[in-house]
Amino acid sequence: TLLDNNEAPTLALEFADTNIIVNNTIKLMAVADDDGMPQPSSLTVLWEVVSGTDVTIATPDQATTDVTFAAVGAAVLQVTVDDGELSVSDLVTVGVSSPENNAPTVSVAFADSTIVVGSTISIVATGEDDGNPIGLTLSYAWSVKSGTAANVSIASPDQATSDVTIS
C-alpha cells in the first residue's frame, strides 16, 4: 500500500512595493511549491481582502494578480494555497495614500493686447491640474489687480471664459 505523507504546500509572496497611491494597481505573486501529494496533485490559489475598502482583485484564483485600491488607508490581503488536503496562507498589508497635491497652472489668452475704452474683449483661462485632491475640480476667479476696478466689468468672474468691458 502507498502511504500518503502529504505535507502542506510552501508559500512565498512577491511584490514590488506595498505603499501605493490611491487608484493605482500593484501586482502580487504567490510562489507556491507542493510535494505532489495527494494524488492527483493540484494546487488552488485564492486571494481575499481581509480588511480595507474599495479593493479590487483582478484574478483572485490565480497565483499572480493585479490589485487596485480605490480608497486611502490600509488594506490587508490574504492568499491561500491548497493542495486538496492541506493549505497554507499568508498576509500582505498595503498602505494606500493620497497623491501629492501640486498647485494648478494657468495660462490666459485674449485676442488683442490693445483695448479701446468702451469695448468688450473675451478672455480665456486654461487651467491644468494634477487631479488632486481627488474629487475636486478647478475653480476660476477673475479680478482686477491694478487700475481702477470701477472702470472694468467682468461678465463671468467665476468662469474660465469671460467677457471684459473697459469703460
Side-chain angles (χ1 to χ4, degrees):
T1 65
L2 279 174
L3 295 177
D4 182 1
N5 293 326
N6 187 24
E7 295 182 18
T10 60
L11 174 63
L13 295 178
E14 292 184 4
F15 43 85
D17 193 2
T18 57
N19 294 303
I20 68 163
I21 302 298
V22 69
N23 294 322
N24 282 329
T25 299
I26 63 172
K27 186 173 292 297
L28 297 177
M29 184 184 327
V31 179
D33 194 27
D34 190 42
D35 61 4
M37 298 298 230
Q39 290 293 324
S41 179
S42 170
L43 287 177
T44 59
V45 176
L46 180 62
W47 289 93
E48 299 174 285
V49 178
V50 175
S51 66
T53 57
D54 294 327
V55 179
T56 303
I57 302 171
T59 51
D61 61 345
Q62 300 295 310
T64 300
T65 189
D66 289 332
V67 184
T68 304
F69 302 86
V72 172
V76 177
L77 299 150
Q78 176 176 288
V79 62
T80 301
V81 177
D82 191 314
D83 71 3
E85 284 183 356
L86 301 173
S87 64
V88 62
S89 296
D90 202 355
L91 299 172
V92 60
T93 300
V94 178
V96 185
S97 60
S98 292
E100 182 179 331
N101 184 19
N102 296 304
T105 60
V106 66
S107 62
V108 177
F110 49 93
D112 193 350
S113 61
T114 303
I115 303 167
V116 177
V117 173
S119 65
T120 298
I121 65 167
S122 182
I123 54 177
V124 178
T126 303
E128 296 285 329
D129 189 34
D130 63 5
N132 299 310
I134 294 169
L136 298 180
T137 58
L138 289 177
S139 62
Y140 296 87
W142 292 101
S143 62
V144 177
K145 290 296 181 186
S146 64
T148 307
N151 296 333
V152 178
S153 172
I154 303 170
S156 303
D158 61 347
Q159 300 297 313
T161 300
S162 182
D163 287 338
V164 176
T165 303
I166 311 296
S167 56

